[in-house]
Amino acid sequence: MSFTLANLPYGIFRHENDHPRAGVALHDRVVDLTSLELPGDFAHPTLNPFMAQGPQIWKATRARLKELLANGPAGTHYALGEVEMLLPFQVGDYVDFYSSREHATNVGTMFRGADNALNPNWLHIPIGYHGRASSIVVSGHPVKRPSGQLKPGEEPPTFGACKNLDFELEMAFVVGQATAVGEVVPIEKAEEHIFGVVILNDWSARDIQKWEYVPLGPFLGKSFATSISPWVVPLEALEPFRVAGPGQDPRPLPYLQQTRPGNFDVQLEVMLNETVICRSNMRYLYWSMAQQLAHLSSNGSALRVGDLCASGTISGPSKEERGSLLELSWGGKEPLRLNDGSERKFLLDGDTLTMRAWAGEGEARVDFGQVTGTISAA
């Protein structure tokens, strides 16, 4: 990890037995934001009050931090290894989208065949579902293998431990500006409501999911744990890496049409134990964050500060860019061989899964840190 002055991600930390408070990462240090004179409100154990102050305060605070920290960490600061990182914000509602065409095509091909890989609505609408905010955990939190109803064949269903435990490589944005019920956010204003971005691992119990998802979609196969990175990268820090997303054909309806590029060139990497098994990029998303938020609010659904919106699995066109074991092992038919000689179709107890994300290099690098989790037995 390399936290540069171009980055300055926000998080909540605790030093020894002290109270939780807000910090910003610079180099190998975490700077206590309550020890600096800043426009933003950091006298709380979550980032929510600061986020609620709005884009002008976000921008003014970031500008002031760049001045104060231009020559290195200032105020009270600690080594990153000396602090405990906590969940950075209180999660309001949680929505998981399905915005990678490559991922949707791969999964659809496995389940319905290549001719019917994408459902008819997929190219017209950012598909998503509402998950459980109560199961969002910070990086490092152990992930217990879930149990649920399983039905592998023609026999009646049974209840037991998940056998096909998977990860999903995702990014997610956190909402920093609330709206009232009935208020619609136009797409040209959508990014004003986005405070920042984190890495997200949507842990998935594929065998539980397979039996339960018809007709209403994901439920217990997704809600047992969702891990996020502890550092929230401000959307402003990603501006130098803005790029156009994939071409959209058919053209989206007017409320989803963007007037400027809405994707970001963020490199992604997944490591299973000591083996890198996936390298992808956030630029592959077919539906951008702005389109996701505009669609989410298009029916008047209210936004709350702390709402978390995940991208869905981010897969690329090559096999090495597939963002889940379901795709990498093609449903278990093509097991992965790890550096230690072992094979994986899905995750085993004791496995550690780590995701990393970054944009740029050198002093311009913007690092998201990592999100990691180790699987414990059911």
Side-chain angles (χ1 to χ4, degrees):
M1 291 180 286
S2 176
F3 296 115
T4 67
L5 191 66
N7 192 353
L8 299 180
Y10 296 99
I12 298 294
F13 75 96
R14 179 164 49 208
H15 180 252
E16 297 179 344
N17 295 320
D18 209 343
H19 63 280
R21 52 202 186 276
V24 68
L26 180 63
H27 307 315
D28 60 349
R29 312 291 291 183
V30 55
V31 177
D32 182 350
L33 293 177
T34 64
S35 71
L36 302 176
E37 292 188 10
L38 297 165
D41 181 5
F42 295 107
H44 307 275
T46 75
L47 292 174
N48 295 59
F50 169 55
M51 294 191 296
Q53 290 183 280
Q56 290 185 339
I57 294 297
W58 306 344
K59 189 176 184 67
T61 298
R62 182 171 169 80
R64 180 60 177 154
L65 280 171
K66 284 191 171 184
E67 292 176 357
L68 293 172
L69 305 180
N71 296 317
T76 304
H77 51 89
Y78 307 94
L80 285 169
E82 296 177 350
V83 302
E84 176 189 5
M85 297 306 300
L86 307 175
L87 201 64
F89 50 87
Q90 182 179 353
V91 181
D93 288 309
Y94 169 51
V95 174
D96 194 10
F97 285 94
Y98 192 48
S99 293
S100 163
R101 183 170 185 168
E102 287 80 5
H103 173 66
T105 300
N106 288 336
V107 173
T109 299
M110 278 186 271
F111 293 164
R112 295 183 298 275
D115 293 338
N116 298 299
L118 289 180
N119 284 317
N121 61 354
W122 199 93
L123 293 173
H124 297 270
I125 185 173
I127 300 296
Y129 71 91
H130 287 275
R132 286 192 62 80
S134 61
S135 299
I136 307 292
V137 296
V138 74
S139 176
H141 192 285
V143 177
K144 182 179 179 180
R145 181 177 297 273
S147 294
Q149 282 202 24
L150 312 172
K151 194 178 186 304
E154 297 300 321
E155 298 298 317
T158 60
F159 186 88
C162 161
K163 296 180 176 62
N164 297 343
L165 185 58
D166 201 356
F167 72 91
E168 291 196 347
L169 170 62
E170 307 193 21
M171 301 296 284
F173 65 84
V174 56
V175 171
Q177 285 288 276
T179 60
V181 175
E183 182 179 352
V184 173
V185 178
I187 192 165
E188 61 269 17
K189 299 288 186 181
E191 289 187 1
E192 296 178 13
H193 292 261
I194 298 175
F195 172 73
V197 182
V198 297
I199 314 170
L200 184 142
N201 185 349
D202 177 28
W203 302 98
S204 300
R206 298 299 187 188
D207 39 6
I208 297 173
Q209 179 185 0
K210 182 178 180 180
W211 171 232
E212 74 179 5
Y213 85 100
V214 177
L216 293 182
F219 189 32
L220 301 185
K222 295 280 194 174
S223 63
F224 58 96
T226 303
S227 300
I228 65 171
S229 52
W231 295 109
V232 185
V233 174
L235 190 62
E236 183 181 350
L238 295 180
E239 192 59 39
F241 310 103
R242 186 181 291 274
V243 294
Q248 294 183 320
D249 184 18
R251 191 180 186 191
L253 293 176
Y255 80 101
L256 292 174
Q257 291 175 14
Q258 302 176 108
T259 57
R260 64 171 180 164
N263 281 25
F264 297 90
D265 182 10
V266 176
Q267 298 183 62
L268 311 173
E269 181 181 86
V270 180
M271 179 175 289
L272 176 52
N273 299 332
E274 300 301 320
T275 304
V276 174
I277 60 172
C278 169
R279 289 189 174 95
S280 190
N281 196 296
M282 193 177 175
R283 70 189 303 159
Y284 292 140
L285 287 174
Y286 188 87
W287 297 106
S288 70
M289 292 187 292
Q291 289 175 314
Q292 292 165 10
L293 190 143
H295 180 66
L296 173 62
S297 77
S298 63
N299 68 343
S301 175
L303 303 176
R304 295 195 293 177
V305 173
D307 282 357
L308 186 66
C309 298
S311 62
T313 304
I314 305 175
S315 295
S318 69
K319 182 173 182 179
E320 294 74 18
E321 294 172 312
R322 295 174 182 173
S324 67
L325 278 172
L326 177 66
E327 297 167 86
L328 288 165
S329 72
W330 206 250
K333 297 178 181 178
E334 303 173 9
L336 275 72
R337 183 171 294 276
L338 305 185
N339 290 343
D340 63 3
S342 64
E343 291 187 341
R344 291 293 187 282
K345 298 178 181 179
F346 293 98
L347 297 170
L348 302 180
D349 293 347
D351 280 346
T352 297
L353 200 289
T354 302
M355 297 176 177
R356 300 188 179 99
W358 68 93
E361 298 295 339
E363 292 303 312
R365 181 182 173 108
V366 171
D367 204 313
F368 291 77
Q370 65 182 34
V371 57
T372 185
T374 299
I375 308 301
S376 61

